[in-house]
Structure formats: structure tokens, C-alpha cells
Amino acid sequence: MKYCTQCILPDTRPGLLIYPDGICNACKSSFEKKNIINWHERKKAFKEVVKNSKLKSKGYDCIIPVSGGKDSTWQVVKCLSYGLNPLAVTWKTPARTRIGEENLENLIKLGIDHIDYQINPKVERKFMLRSLKRYGTTALPMHMALFNIPLNIASKFNIPLIIYGENSAFEYGGDDEDKGFSLDANWLKKYGVTHGTSAQDWVSDDLSVKELTPYFGPSSNQLKNIRAIFLGYYFNWDPQETLSVAQKSGFKVRTKGAKVGYYNYADIDCDFISIHHYIKWYKFGMTRLFDNLSLEIRNNRLSRDEALKILKKIGSQKPVNDIKKFCDFVHIEEEEFYTIIEHFRNKDIWKQKNNGIWHIKDFIINDLEWKE
């Protein structure tokens, strides 16, 4: 593994590229945001997007995919401030948290119409378990639903614009051509966290086409009059700044500190998202904590040495209770869960000591105490 010399991300992270000078593409994108991008011009461009959307709309000007997270509140506040009439759409996780529910209710009270789309839990159960066994991820069905449900509703209601928040290809590493303003089929295939699959690829004897209906997206012909954008292209996305906007509008954070990663305000609306991040430890030798701390380094709120000390102190953040909850949901024993994810341990980076303990050779922290 090689690590960026500026942040702490490793080259095993999907989409991340470390250049010969030792700096990763995510850090270079951050430099571009601070020193090259003309945000005044981007703001003017967004006004044109708003204008065109209002001219085309027959009711709702845009769809905002939302959850119970801070970025959802930020997106709604920003869109309302530009006079848009949005329809908020949520894929309802089967593991929604109480604070996520409260933040979602608060977001709706800001003055929007809202659809809470819940998929048959029997279908989700089968799909999530198959996804875990095939690709070592619990989140593939979630991401497929997150992107396709808003697209389907936009198509049905003739809504011309869908407004997402951050572009992960820009913030965490991706190809230059994927860092632009639009979300399209090419972006979804690379960064939609579906391993390049579509709902059709999951049709089987126990998952029919009809059962998978929410996961199928509209046809290209249906999408020709719909534009999907990232708000983070037009406005400088910084988690602390979006948090500040959200809190002023009533958003609540976890009082017990971060559940996963570094932030006590991120990934708090669903108990299953922590499992998705934890399995990255097996696959890539990194966790959500690496991403969060690297963002703090790029925004000059932490030094690299400070971030490494925090990483050492917090560790891999094994979500024991959430894993139990997931196993109960998909009807498997916890032992089976660990057996499944063990198959996805990346043996190119993980090595086993004589005592059976796994470790990563030349890890970014030299004196880390390996416990499992």
C-alpha cells in the first residue's frame, strides 16, 4: 500500500490515484477548489440552472434526494433560497435511526413536499444478503435505490431537475472527466457503488423483475428531458460549512460522538451504513475514518500527524451492535456474517502472523497494536 503524503488515504481506495509527487488526486482536487475554481462564476451558472428548470417545470422545479443527514438539510435550504419548488424524495432505510427520523421531519418542516419510499423488507432482505455474499457489501441495494427512485419519480412527474449534494468523484478521488456538474450513466457505473451492475443483473429465481421494480431506472428516452446535477459543483462543499447551515435550520448531531468515522454528524441516519464502511477495512485496509480525517487535513483543521494520532486512538470502529441488527434483519447468524466478509479480505495487503492475527505490512501507523 502507498499513502498520500498530504492526507492519509491509501492507493487501495477505489478511484484514488497517487501521483509521482506523492500527492493523491483528491488532494489535488481540493487545491483546485481553493485556488483555481471561480465560485462566483459557478454561482451564476447555478442561477441559470434554476432559471431553466423553472421554465420547464409544470409544478415541482426539482427533486432533492434526502435522508436524515446534514447535506440533505443543506441542499433543501440552498434550493429554497433560490426560489425553487422542490419535491424531496427519500429511500427509507430498514434501519432508520431515531435521530435520522427527527432530522428528516425537521427538514420537511422547512417547507417542502416529501415522499418517503419504503421498499418491501422481504425483497430488501434477500437483495442485501445476496449483495453481501456476491460482492462483500450490504450497501449495493441502498445505492441502487438512492439513485433510481428519484430518477423514476422525476420521470413520472415530469420534473426537469434532480439535485444531489457532493460528488464523491471530486471529494474522494476520481477521473477528471467525472468531476463535472452532471450525474449520468457513466458516473453511476463508476461511482454509484453498484459494482457496475443494474437491477436486471440481480433477477433470479428468488428475486423477480417485479420485486426489483424500485431498483430499475428509467430508460434513456425517459431521461432525455431530465438533468441531474451535484450541488457541490456550484458551491464549495465542506462538511463543516454544510453542518453549520444545517444546524441553523434545526439539524441535530449525535451527543455521544461519532458512531463511525470522525464526525458526530455524518452517517447517523441509518444503522446499516456503518457495516458498509467497516467492510472497507477488509477490502482496502481503510475505513470511513480515513476519509473524514483526510477532509479535515485538506481543510486545514488538522495536520497529518494529528490525524494519524486520532486514527491510532480510534481504530477500525467495529460496529458490533449494528452487525447484530443486520444479521437479525437478513436472518443469519453473526458467525456466518464474519465468515462471509472474511472471503473478501484483501490478501495482497493483509498478512497473517504466526499467532493467527491479521495485520497490514508497512501500515501507515508503525506501532499499531493489531488485535484482529
Side-chain angles (χ1 to χ4, degrees):
M1 292 174 68
K2 294 180 180 178
Y3 299 89
C4 175
T5 56
Q6 185 164 303
C7 69
I8 61 172
L9 289 182
D11 60 356
T12 51
R13 194 196 194 287
L16 194 88
L17 174 66
I18 297 179
Y19 292 99
D21 61 2
I23 301 175
C24 73
N25 51 350
C27 284
K28 289 183 181 292
S29 292
S30 178
F31 177 84
E32 179 182 338
K33 285 172 63 177
K34 296 175 182 176
N35 300 281
I36 299 176
I37 293 177
N38 186 326
W39 291 108
H40 178 70
E41 290 300 318
R42 293 281 178 95
K43 184 177 179 180
K44 288 170 60 177
F46 183 70
K47 289 181 180 179
E48 286 300 310
V49 171
V50 170
K51 179 181 178 181
N52 290 334
S53 178
K54 287 183 176 181
L55 288 173
K56 294 178 180 178
S57 74
K58 299 177 181 179
Y60 295 114
D61 299 320
C62 65
I63 278 181
I64 309 175
V66 301
S67 61
K70 64 167 177 51
D71 284 354
S72 298
T73 301
W74 172 66
Q75 288 162 248
V76 169
V77 169
K78 186 67 72 174
C79 289
L80 288 176
S81 72
Y82 277 82
L84 287 164
N85 178 34
L87 171 64
V89 176
T90 301
W91 162 75
K92 186 178 181 181
T93 166
R96 180 176 286 171
T97 62
R98 179 175 295 181
I99 192 171
E101 181 77 32
E102 292 175 355
N103 282 325
L104 187 58
E105 290 177 356
N106 175 74
L107 178 152
I108 297 167
K109 291 177 182 177
L110 295 178
I112 56 170
D113 291 350
H114 175 252
I115 293 176
D116 207 11
Y117 196 120
Q118 183 169 8
I119 297 174
N120 180 347
K122 294 181 179 179
V123 174
E124 284 192 311
R125 180 177 297 118
K126 290 187 290 185
F127 197 176
M128 291 178 76
L129 184 56
R130 286 188 61 194
S131 172
L132 178 65
K133 290 180 176 180
R134 184 186 294 186
Y135 290 117
T137 176
T138 59
L140 189 151
M142 173 188 75
H143 286 98
M144 199 172 283
L146 283 172
F147 288 113
N148 286 319
I149 288 173
L151 290 171
N152 282 320
I153 293 176
S155 176
K156 297 293 184 183
F157 282 78
N158 295 314
I159 302 172
L161 180 65
I162 302 178
I163 300 180
Y164 289 91
E166 62 169 318
N167 183 342
S168 60
F170 198 104
E171 305 300 338
Y172 304 109
D175 296 335
D176 287 340
E177 63 267 26
D178 298 320
K179 297 175 183 177
F181 64 86
S182 63
L183 181 152
D184 54 21
N186 180 63
W187 190 97
L188 285 173
K189 188 173 183 179
K190 285 186 178 182
Y191 306 105
V193 200
T194 62
H195 287 265
T197 66
S198 66
Q200 185 62 48
D201 297 313
W202 294 90
V203 175
S204 64
D205 292 339
D206 65 337
L207 274 177
S208 68
V209 170
K210 286 189 175 181
E211 286 179 310
L212 290 169
T213 294
Y215 301 99
F216 280 91
S219 66
S220 298
N221 186 57
Q222 291 172 313
L223 289 173
K224 64 182 180 181
N225 294 319
I226 300 173
R227 185 179 186 183
I229 64 169
F230 295 99
L231 202 57
Y233 173 83
Y234 300 94
F235 302 94
N236 185 20
W237 182 87
D238 177 341
Q240 294 287 2
E241 291 183 11
T242 59
L243 171 66
S244 177
V245 172
Q247 284 186 306
K248 290 177 182 177
S249 299
F251 177 81
K252 297 179 181 178
V253 303
R254 276 174 55 88
T255 57
K256 297 180 180 179
K259 181 177 183 179
V260 59
Y262 182 61
Y263 305 128
N264 68 337
Y265 52 79
D267 301 309
I268 62 174
D269 54 317
C270 174
D271 281 331
F272 289 166
I273 193 66
S274 61
I275 303 170
H276 167 64
H277 292 313
Y278 177 65
I279 299 176
K280 294 176 184 177
W281 184 233
Y282 286 72
K283 292 180 174 181
F284 313 123
M286 59 160 289
T287 65
R288 187 63 160 172
L289 189 56
F290 283 72
D291 283 329
N292 293 166
L293 292 174
S294 293
L295 282 173
E296 291 304 291
I297 292 171
R298 294 185 202 116
N299 285 293
N300 300 316
R301 290 188 287 264
L302 284 177
S303 69
R304 192 172 190 270
D305 286 341
E306 288 171 333
L308 289 174
K309 289 178 181 178
I310 294 170
L311 180 64
K312 181 179 179 180
K313 179 180 179 180
I314 295 179
S316 61
Q317 294 180 303
K318 183 177 179 179
V320 177
N321 292 332
D322 292 347
I323 289 172
K324 183 181 186 305
K325 185 172 184 177
F326 171 79
C327 291
D328 289 341
F329 178 70
V330 298
H331 298 166
I332 63 173
E333 298 295 326
E334 290 178 57
E335 182 179 354
E336 182 178 356
F337 171 84
Y338 290 110
T339 298
I340 292 171
I341 66 172
E342 187 60 44
H343 289 304
F344 294 93
R345 188 185 291 274
N346 185 347
K347 302 294 179 60
D348 289 334
I349 60 174
W350 286 96
K351 305 299 176 184
Q352 201 166 20
K353 297 181 179 180
N354 293 333
N355 61 2
I357 298 295
W358 288 97
H359 73 289
I360 298 175
K361 186 179 180 181
D362 299 324
F363 190 60
I364 194 169
I365 300 173
N366 294 325
D367 57 345
L368 185 70
E369 182 180 355
W370 298 94
K371 297 180 180 179
E372 56 175 294

